[in-house]
Amino acid sequence: AMDILEGIRPWVEIESPTTEPDAVNRLVDLVEGEFESIGMQVERIPGRDQRGDHLRARTPWGGDGPGILVLGHLDTVHPIGVLHNQLPLRIEGNRVYGPGIADMKGGAYLALNAVRYLMAQGKTTPLPITFVYNSDEEVGSRTSKDLIEETARQAKHVLVCEPGRNGGSVVTARKGSGRFTVSVTGQPSHSGTNHADGRSALKELAHQILQLEAMTDYERGITVNVGVASGG
């Protein structure tokens, strides 16, 4: 277990927020090298639209028929600097903390390590195994959607190495989601001398956030979450 943890450590120590493609690609470099070092056939798909690169790797066995697709992502939500401030990599008892350790660097590493272990034993699987590790999952996988769908259509089984649920439950489905951007424009005015002439966009945004969050309906399984807000 400690060997596995030491393998996960460098993945977590390379901070990889989705919005920093150069940072994500430093992790992609590491993971690409690990795939190649165990004999996987690796394809690197260049990023676009300010997103990092994606990886597709396939076992050298099993032919070209439908096989097992392992899906994962290398980007995280944590901004650069969190590792050295709010969320350092640390071990407390049987728990490990760090940015992206569970979602999903730990899971992505474990899947790769399982194939590494098979190869070290000189074993293969009846079906070929293909990995797709993308770099923009946390913002909706827009630049990797076609790659994922194309590869998934050729697979017989798909495994996603996201963390499970409490008690060891496995997630077998996800509800659909939509992503929207709301822009609010105010009337600028000096907050000290001409306060009455201004109209605060942030104040209006606060009202909008409350109305949007109020649309949540747990009985119908509908959740509305305002994830990021900025202004001023």
Side-chain angles (χ1 to χ4, degrees):
M2 290 307 294
D3 287 347
I4 291 173
L5 192 54
E6 282 308 302
I8 292 171
R9 176 183 289 273
W11 291 39
V12 176
E13 289 179 336
I14 297 174
E15 295 183 283
S16 54
T18 318
T19 52
E20 303 277 353
D22 291 343
V24 178
N25 282 346
R26 282 194 285 274
L27 179 57
V28 175
D29 290 342
L30 175 68
V31 178
E32 182 181 30
E34 292 208 32
F35 275 130
E36 289 177 342
S37 72
I38 62 174
M40 301 280 279
Q41 300 160 354
V42 186
E43 177 187 0
R44 183 162 176 163
I45 296 89
R48 57 180 173 84
D49 303 336
Q50 284 74 57
R51 298 290 179 253
D53 299 348
H54 313 303
L55 291 175
R56 178 161 57 186
R58 191 176 177 91
T59 54
W61 67 76
D64 296 326
I68 300 165
L69 171 60
V70 178
L71 274 179
H73 64 91
L74 301 175
D75 59 316
T76 61
V77 298
H78 305 281
I80 298 285
V82 166
L83 177 72
H84 302 292
N85 294 293
Q86 303 98 313
L87 197 57
L89 184 65
R90 68 190 197 279
I91 302 172
E92 293 182 6
N94 63 351
R95 295 194 175 201
V96 187
Y97 297 83
I101 185 83
D103 179 12
M104 66 175 297
K105 291 180 176 178
Y109 178 86
L110 286 171
L112 187 157
N113 199 59
V115 173
R116 189 201 328 265
Y117 182 79
L118 275 176
M119 289 181 163
Q121 302 291 309
K123 296 178 180 177
T124 63
T125 52
L127 297 175
I129 303 171
T130 300
F131 287 74
V132 170
Y133 282 177
N134 72 332
S135 292
D136 63 345
E137 189 273 347
E138 295 291 4
V139 294
S141 302
R142 290 185 183 181
T143 70
S144 54
K145 178 174 179 282
D146 292 345
L147 170 70
I148 293 168
E149 290 182 349
E150 172 206 333
T151 314
R153 274 193 287 268
Q154 300 166 11
K156 187 173 183 181
H157 307 289
V158 179
L159 300 172
V160 179
C161 38
E162 286 262 14
R165 291 289 180 261
N166 290 340
S169 298
V170 175
V171 178
T172 59
R174 292 282 198 191
K175 61 186 179 183
S177 64
R179 189 178 294 265
F180 305 89
T181 300
V182 177
S183 298
V184 182
T185 304
Q187 176 62 47
S189 183
H190 193 282
S191 60
T193 56
N194 297 93
H195 188 278
D197 296 334
R199 294 294 180 268
S200 169
L202 281 178
K203 181 179 176 183
E204 178 58 30
L205 180 60
H207 287 300
Q208 293 294 329
I209 289 171
L210 292 174
Q211 291 188 54
L212 288 166
E213 297 266 359
M215 294 178 183
T216 292
D217 186 337
Y218 293 127
E219 287 188 6
R220 295 173 61 201
I222 296 171
T223 51
V224 178
N225 176 63
V226 179
V228 178
S230 64

